[in-house]
Amino acid sequence: MELLRKLFESDFMPHGHCYFWKPEIYLTNAISDSIIAIAYFTIPFSIGYIVKIRKDFKYYWLLILFAIFILGCGTTHVMDVINIWKPYYRLDSLFRVITALASIGTAIALLKYTPEIILIPNAEEFRGINVKLKEQIALLNQKEEQLRIAQVQLSKINEELEKKVIERTADLINANEQLSKRSIELEKSEGKLRTLADNIPNLVWIANKEGEISWYNSRMYEYTGKTPEEMEGWGWQSVHDPSILPLVIEKWQNSISTGQPFQMTFPMKGKEGNYKHFLTRVVPIKNKKGEIENWFGTNTDITQEIMAQKTLEELAYSQRQFKSTFEQAAVGMAHVAENGKFILLNQKYCELMGYSLDELINLSFEDITYPDDINADLELFQKLKAKDIPNYKIEKRYIKKNGEIFWGKLTRSIVWNEKGNFEYAVAIVDDITIRKQIEEKLIHSNIELKKINNDLDNFIYTASHDLKAPISNMEGLLHTIYDETKNIFTIDVLQLLKMMEESIDRLKITIQDLTEISIVQKDIDNNRELISVSEIYNEYMEDHKAELAKSNAIFTTDFKEKEVYLSRQNFRTILYNLINNSIQYHHPQRRPVIHLNTYRENNFLVFKITDNGIGFDMSQKDKIFRMFKRLHAHIPGSGVGLYLVKRIVENSDGKIEVNSELEKGSEFRIYLPIIDTI
């Protein structure tokens, strides 16, 4: 403090309350401060140049901060010079504050980054680094020379490569053109293959290596009626027979696992719901490594082949059967050529004719036919060859090798080939000699029987006619005895007379029935004509008014067929007996209901009568048509009516059927043949 005081006392002059420096001091300070300022102002330019040149310097901002600090310091010295002559203390204070802040910032930055700056190599180190850099540069130059040489070589190689590339490009262009052509050809070929696959009769498909089908040809969809979505993958199972499907899947999965081809025949369902048999073959498609990539399968419809095979088997079986039947037949069988010569003979034919096979094969059927029967046989054979008749049967005589004659029944037909030409005739000969002998005996027996029947009919007719007068006399005498003695005889005797009268009545009815039977047997009234059904029915209703009134019967009719071709008497007998039968055997507890109708059935006119009478047990139906047989003894009758009906119907080539149930009623159906009367 004392030193400062002395300084001020020596260098400053008092001026009022202030002190001023001496003039020589002013000049010295101004010059020194100006020099210091100039130096300070010069330093930032150097720092700026360094920053501009050394842009790679990491701490250039520290240099800038230091430059600001130097500028601030230079500015304070300039202000010291100015303040000597004219004080600007406020401005001087501002510059000093700025300089202080810059100095503080610079100091802080230096404290922080000094350790890093210290690590910056010194000049010696830089020289070492520079030497190493020069060595690296030299090595780099060497490498560059090698690189240049390599580039020259590479350039040559590139030129050669470019030539090869150009050549290769040309080759590739050419190959690409070829490939394009091949691709077009392949597309055409693939189109042809698809067209071929879609139009071949086979069902074609492709599956992946796991067995899932990814493509079918159009034939598959046409046959099954399925869509691609329904058939994709394992959807094909829906068109297989459920009973065979498990075996198909088992064999298919075995082929997938082993890689072996698959072959199997199984049925597949079509869109109509019917099944056809297909032969399925599947083969693996392998790549160059031998690995399976796909499976190619075909389904071939072999239904016709199976049917043909079955037909062949049936044909072979038929041939075996034919051969067995032909050889072992109980009748003679032969195949005959168009000229009548024998082609094939069985053993039975040879036995019938008494020739060996070798002997007969050189003969014709004319050679072994009895001369009187040849013309009839040849005439029919010519008609057969002319296709006028499909076949014919004839009974003719044959001559055996030993000259013996026998009767044979010949059945002959012709086998025509596919063109309709004569192939061979089939002749079947059955020995009917015994039958012919029996027929001759029967003819003689029938002649004798007819004589006996005629004699019997004459006897019956004569007896019935001759008995009528004595019976009438007996009846008259019995009535006379009864009238004369009814007041004399006892009741028992009168009862016996009554029984005798009833016996005479039954005898009269029997004689009448015998007369009718004789008439039927002799066909005395067999003059057939078209008879009106309604007319005969109305005659019956008129003739039996009294009896019908007593029976209280209800009749209904439905005559769809108006006329019947029969003798009037015979049809009257049929209708009268059937109606009488329904009334006679009516049920005692209900009113008789009788329905009559006619209709056509095939070639017959059917006359049907139905009632609600007492009926009968069907096990007894055969008895009701026998003469004098009756099922209900408690009801009067002779048992001849239904016998007469049956005889008339059978003599007219018809038939009678009956259906009945006890306590419910009966139904009779008369079938009479419809005959063209024109």
Side-chain angles (χ1 to χ4, degrees):
M1 290 301 291
E2 184 61 26
L3 179 61
L4 288 174
R5 186 184 67 77
K6 288 180 176 180
L7 178 61
F8 277 104
E9 285 180 352
S10 61
D11 292 334
F12 288 89
M13 294 185 299
H15 182 75
H17 296 291
C18 300
Y19 291 87
F20 293 95
W21 291 332
K22 294 178 179 180
E24 60 273 16
I25 296 172
Y26 289 159
L27 182 59
T28 302
N29 287 340
I31 292 170
S32 60
D33 283 333
S34 296
I35 293 169
I36 293 169
I38 291 169
Y40 275 136
F41 286 145
T42 303
I43 292 170
F45 286 104
S46 298
I47 293 171
Y49 180 74
I50 292 170
V51 170
K52 181 179 179 182
I53 298 302
R54 294 293 303 274
K55 291 182 180 181
D56 60 330
F57 185 64
K58 182 179 180 182
Y59 304 102
Y60 72 90
W61 59 270
L62 182 59
L63 295 176
I64 294 172
L65 186 60
F66 184 68
I68 294 171
F69 168 66
I70 295 300
L71 285 174
C73 289
T75 304
T76 59
H77 283 282
V78 172
M79 290 305 299
D80 285 343
V81 173
I82 294 172
N83 285 337
I84 293 174
W85 287 276
K86 188 175 183 178
Y88 288 96
Y89 296 113
R90 290 181 183 275
L91 181 61
D92 184 30
S93 297
L94 176 61
F95 285 125
R96 290 180 184 279
V97 169
I98 293 172
T99 302
L101 291 173
S103 64
I104 292 171
T106 303
I108 293 171
L110 285 171
L111 287 173
K112 182 176 180 181
Y113 293 104
T114 295
E116 295 181 13
I117 294 172
I118 292 172
L119 296 175
I120 296 174
N122 55 29
E124 186 65 27
E125 289 175 339
F126 274 119
R127 280 193 292 272
I129 292 171
N130 191 32
V131 171
K132 291 181 178 179
L133 284 174
K134 287 180 179 180
E135 292 175 353
Q136 291 292 328
I137 289 170
L139 182 62
L140 183 61
N141 290 334
Q142 184 181 357
K143 294 291 184 182
E144 285 180 352
E145 181 64 20
Q146 293 175 351
L147 181 61
R148 186 185 64 79
I149 295 170
Q151 286 177 341
V152 172
Q153 293 176 346
L154 182 62
S155 178
K156 292 180 180 179
I157 293 171
N158 283 337
E159 289 178 0
E160 294 177 357
L161 185 60
E162 284 179 1
K163 291 181 181 178
K164 290 183 178 180
V165 168
I166 292 171
E167 293 174 357
R168 185 62 177 166
T169 302
D171 292 340
L172 286 174
I173 292 171
N174 185 40
N176 190 40
E177 290 177 355
Q178 295 295 326
L179 184 62
S180 178
K181 291 180 181 178
R182 291 288 181 88
S183 178
I184 293 171
E185 291 175 358
L186 184 61
E187 287 180 1
K188 290 181 180 179
S189 178
E190 183 179 354
K192 289 179 181 178
L193 287 174
R194 283 187 176 273
T195 302
L196 179 63
D198 285 335
N199 288 280
I200 61 175
N202 303 69
L203 312 182
V204 182
W205 49 272
I206 296 175
N208 60 21
K209 62 182 180 180
E210 287 80 18
E212 295 180 348
I213 299 179
S214 57
W215 177 85
Y216 295 94
N217 69 342
S218 59
R219 290 286 185 182
M220 178 65 80
Y221 302 121
E222 290 173 5
Y223 174 72
T224 62
K226 299 287 185 178
T227 63
E229 292 76 13
E230 292 174 320
M231 292 290 286
E232 187 178 3
W234 293 79
W236 50 266
Q237 299 180 54
S238 62
V239 299
H240 278 248
D241 186 344
S243 62
I244 307 297
L245 181 58
L247 180 60
V248 177
I249 294 175
E250 179 185 350
K251 292 193 67 175
W252 176 222
Q253 289 179 338
N254 181 63
S255 289
I256 294 171
S257 61
T258 60
Q260 296 298 314
F262 173 93
Q263 180 169 321
M264 185 178 179
T265 299
F266 46 72
M268 289 174 58
K269 183 167 64 176
K271 59 185 176 182
E272 306 297 334
N274 57 319
Y275 283 90
K276 289 186 177 181
H277 287 275
F278 286 84
L279 172 61
T280 298
R281 292 189 176 98
V282 190
V283 294
I285 302 174
K286 299 181 180 180
N287 57 24
K288 293 181 179 180
K289 297 180 181 180
E291 299 170 341
I292 295 176
E293 292 186 344
N294 294 102
W295 293 87
F296 179 80
T298 59
N299 302 88
T300 305
D301 184 0
I302 59 169
T303 305
Q304 295 296 330
E305 287 81 350
I306 290 177
M307 292 178 65
Q309 180 63 31
K310 186 176 180 181
T311 302
L312 288 174
E313 291 174 357
E314 291 175 351
L315 181 59
Y317 177 72
S318 298
Q319 288 177 339
R320 291 194 300 271
Q321 279 192 320
F322 168 76
K323 185 176 181 181
S324 176
T325 303
F326 188 83
E327 293 297 335
Q328 301 178 24
V331 294
M333 299 181 69
H335 290 178
V336 182
E338 192 170 3
N339 60 3
K341 292 283 187 177
F342 293 111
I343 301 173
L344 182 66
L345 296 156
N346 71 345
Q347 184 61 34
K348 183 64 177 179
Y349 198 98
C350 297
E351 291 175 0
L352 287 174
M353 305 305 167
Y355 289 91
S356 68
L357 178 61
D358 293 336
E359 291 172 332
L360 269 178
I361 208 71
N362 295 315
L363 301 177
S364 70
F365 70 87
E366 296 180 45
D367 296 330
I368 57 174
T369 302
Y370 190 74
D372 292 347
D373 297 338
I374 289 177
N375 291 335
D377 193 0
L378 286 175
E379 183 180 346
L380 290 171
F381 190 45
Q382 293 302 322
K383 288 183 178 181
L384 191 62
K385 289 193 291 184
K387 298 184 180 180
D388 293 336
I389 55 176
N391 55 64
Y392 69 86
K393 295 180 180 180
I394 186 174
E395 294 179 356
K396 68 173 188 175
R397 288 163 288 184
Y398 289 90
I399 304 173
K400 291 186 177 184
K401 181 180 179 181
N402 60 8
E404 183 182 343
I405 298 173
F406 76 94
W407 278 94
K409 181 180 180 181
L410 169 66
T411 301
R412 199 191 302 274
S413 60
I414 292 178
V415 175
W416 308 94
N417 61 22
E418 294 178 355
K419 296 181 180 180
N421 297 327
F422 186 101
E423 189 163 338
Y424 60 86
V426 178
I428 301 174
V429 178
D430 189 12
D431 186 354
I432 59 171
T433 304
I434 297 176
R435 196 200 77 191
K436 277 290 186 178
Q437 293 172 352
I438 294 173
E439 285 180 355
E440 289 179 3
K441 291 180 180 179
L442 286 174
I443 290 172
H444 292 296
S445 298
N446 285 334
I447 293 172
E448 294 296 326
L449 186 59
K450 284 182 179 179
K451 290 180 180 179
I452 294 171
N453 285 334
N454 287 331
D455 292 341
L456 181 60
D457 290 339
N458 291 330
F459 170 76
I460 292 173
Y461 183 77
T462 303
S464 60
H465 182 270
D466 292 343
L467 287 173
K468 286 180 181 179
I471 291 173
S472 296
N473 292 333
M474 289 174 60
E475 185 179 20
L477 291 172
L478 187 60
H479 287 163
T480 301
I481 292 171
Y482 179 77
D483 291 336
E484 295 294 334
T485 61
K486 61 182 178 181
N487 296 322
I488 301 172
F489 293 135
T490 63
I491 295 175
D492 293 336
V493 175
L494 293 175
Q495 186 67 30
L496 290 173
L497 292 174
K498 186 67 174 175
M499 293 172 64
M500 290 177 65
E501 184 180 11
E502 291 175 356
S503 296
I504 290 172
D505 289 338
R506 286 198 296 273
L507 184 58
K508 288 171 63 179
I509 293 172
T510 300
I511 291 173
Q512 180 61 36
D513 289 340
L514 288 173
T515 302
E516 291 186 14
I517 291 172
S518 177
I519 293 172
V520 170
Q521 294 277 96
K522 295 173 68 174
D523 278 337
I524 292 176
D525 197 15
N526 197 25
N527 298 318
R528 298 189 182 189
E529 58 181 317
L530 283 175
I531 306 299
S532 170
V533 177
S534 298
E535 182 181 342
I536 303 301
Y537 169 75
N538 292 332
E539 286 180 5
Y540 176 86
M541 300 300 287
E542 183 67 26
D543 293 342
H544 297 78
K545 279 184 179 180
E547 294 90 334
L548 294 176
K550 291 180 182 179
S551 67
N552 199 25
I554 299 173
F555 285 86
T556 60
T557 61
D558 181 17
F559 299 134
K560 292 184 177 66
E561 292 295 321
K562 307 297 184 183
E563 296 178 322
V564 58
Y565 188 69
L566 201 66
S567 72
R568 180 177 295 271
Q569 178 59 40
N570 284 346
F571 186 66
R572 184 183 292 113
T573 300
I574 291 172
L575 187 141
Y576 279 31
N577 276 288
L578 290 178
I579 294 178
N580 287 338
N581 194 68
S582 294
I583 294 175
Q584 188 174 5
Y585 295 100
H586 73 274
H587 200 285
Q589 296 179 357
R590 54 177 175 254
R591 187 177 180 183
V593 176
I594 302 169
H595 178 70
L596 298 92
N597 66 314
T598 59
Y599 57 90
R600 181 185 292 259
E601 185 176 306
N602 298 326
N603 293 323
F604 289 93
L605 179 143
V606 182
F607 173 70
K608 184 171 74 172
I609 180 169
T610 307
D611 63 52
N612 63 341
I614 60 175
F616 60 87
D617 187 349
M618 284 293 290
S619 63
Q620 304 292 318
K621 69 175 184 177
D622 293 335
K623 294 181 179 180
I624 64 174
F625 296 110
R626 295 178 186 175
M627 190 185 301
F628 304 122
K629 289 290 183 181
R630 301 172 62 245
L631 300 181
H632 303 285
H634 62 286
I635 298 175
S638 63
V640 175
L642 290 179
Y643 170 79
L644 288 173
V645 171
K646 188 171 185 297
R647 290 287 298 177
I648 291 172
V649 171
E650 289 179 348
N651 287 344
S652 302
D653 298 322
K655 62 180 179 178
I656 183 170
E657 293 180 355
V658 62
N659 187 30
S660 183
E661 189 174 351
L662 280 172
E663 303 298 323
K664 290 188 177 181
S666 302
E667 175 186 278
F668 288 87
R669 293 185 301 278
I670 307 299
Y671 291 81
L672 297 171
I674 296 174
I675 300 174
D676 188 1
T677 59
I678 297 176

